[in-house]
Amino acid sequence: MARRAIAAACAAALLSGGVTACAGAGPDTALPGAAGCGMLPPRRPAAPPGGRGAARDNPVYRGGPMCLPDCDFGPGPDGGLSGATRYLGHVAHCLDVGWGRLFAAVGLRYRPPKVRIVPIRDRGRLGCGAGMVQAAGLYCPGSDEVIVSVGRDWYGPGYEPSMVLLLAHEYGHHVQRSLHIAQYAYTAGGEVERRAELQAECFGGVFLAAVRARFDQTDEWWAGFVDTESQPGDIAERHSHGDFASRRRWLGAGLRSGRPGDCRTWTAPSSEVAG
């Protein structure tokens, strides 16, 4: 199925209220040979390392930058939930293609997550298993599901980069699980968990670097965007996701280079992953 047709099917499934794996795995998500990417042919798929080594020296760090010259987000949000959902369905497809290419180029197998878009009024009912959380975005490792809640402000134009970063951050957790990083990180907690959150934010920046030209914004605008998105919430969020300086550092690192290898929060000093 052509990429545009896959993206359209994904958006339609999201709109229907079902849970779908946008842009299913297979040849389209594994192909590294997009025009202008100059990526190496894919290697034979292998399993990533486990334990601490998965976090500190993962094969995906040797890939990149993410390259998506053929990514198409389709029409922007049109003022309604359906338009925002459709838009994020296309973004999810591009995320699957981008990460699929990076995985394939270093000999790893990528499988897309399930994706669910819900209105913000349902945020309090989001959860993984029995737990319910108040969060704009969530990744559930047990069901391999990315959930994003969108508010009325996001239904119209102007919020697209923030929408894209939120979805790309939650995809970052799916990538960590696929690479066996999450299995190590979330059994440790504390600073280790914060390093995982900051890496997911950096992975979000990696995707934004690959698609930033589609937003037609200046470097100064992007610097302001990084500052805005890095503002910490309450004390609990700062502890789990990092303080302003740390978030700004890692989101900026991904956005500047587009390379997962620049998201190695695991070898950074504690001062760079502070909460």
Side-chain angles (χ1 to χ4, degrees):
M1 186 184 294
R3 289 188 178 93
R4 185 181 296 272
I6 294 173
C10 168
L14 288 170
L15 283 169
S16 71
V19 175
T20 182
C22 295
D28 274 355
T29 54
L31 282 175
C37 281
M39 297 176 76
L40 296 174
R43 301 177 183 177
R44 185 186 300 275
R52 193 163 177 254
R56 297 178 66 90
D57 190 29
N58 204 283
V60 82
Y61 298 154
R62 298 190 285 275
M66 185 180 286
C67 187
L68 284 166
D70 48 354
C71 171
D72 182 7
F73 287 173
D78 59 3
L81 175 62
S82 62
T85 302
R86 186 179 300 109
Y87 180 79
L88 287 173
H90 287 283
V91 174
H93 171 68
C94 289
L95 278 158
D96 287 328
V97 172
W99 282 112
R101 287 174 177 154
L102 284 177
F103 274 49
V106 297
L108 299 176
R109 190 183 303 278
Y110 176 81
R111 298 291 184 189
K114 304 179 183 77
V115 178
R116 181 154 50 109
I117 312 299
V118 300
I120 200 168
R121 64 176 178 271
D122 292 337
R123 178 186 294 189
R125 295 195 289 273
L126 300 182
C128 298
M132 297 299 167
V133 297
Q134 291 281 350
L138 188 66
Y139 174 66
C140 300
S143 58
D144 197 17
E145 182 179 28
V146 170
I147 307 173
V148 169
S149 61
V150 295
R152 186 168 298 279
D153 286 345
W154 285 19
Y155 294 173
Y159 284 82
E160 292 93 334
S162 294
M163 295 169 71
V164 170
L165 177 59
L166 176 60
L167 185 60
H169 174 102
E170 300 308 330
Y171 255 77
H173 291 308
H174 167 70
V175 168
Q176 288 172 325
R177 182 173 181 269
S178 301
L179 296 173
H180 297 174
I181 295 172
Q183 291 86 326
Y184 160 71
Y186 291 102
T187 59
E191 184 181 279
V192 175
E193 181 179 349
R194 188 161 61 247
R195 288 177 186 270
E197 289 291 346
L198 289 167
Q199 183 179 56
E201 190 76 347
C202 186
F203 283 167
V206 165
F207 179 72
L208 277 175
V211 300
R212 63 184 290 177
R214 287 156 181 77
F215 297 111
D216 192 26
Q217 299 288 355
T218 65
D219 289 345
E220 291 75 16
W221 186 93
W222 282 107
F225 172 81
V226 170
D227 284 349
T228 299
E229 294 294 330
S230 300
Q231 293 294 334
D234 58 22
I235 293 175
E237 184 183 350
R238 288 198 296 274
H239 180 72
S240 62
H241 287 66
D243 61 16
F244 172 78
S246 297
R247 294 170 71 159
R248 184 175 183 271
R249 173 184 180 83
W250 293 106
L251 174 56
L255 182 60
R256 282 191 299 273
S257 75
R259 295 179 180 273
D262 287 326
C263 297
R264 280 187 263 199
T265 58
W266 309 99
T267 55
S270 293
S271 61
E272 295 179 358
V273 292

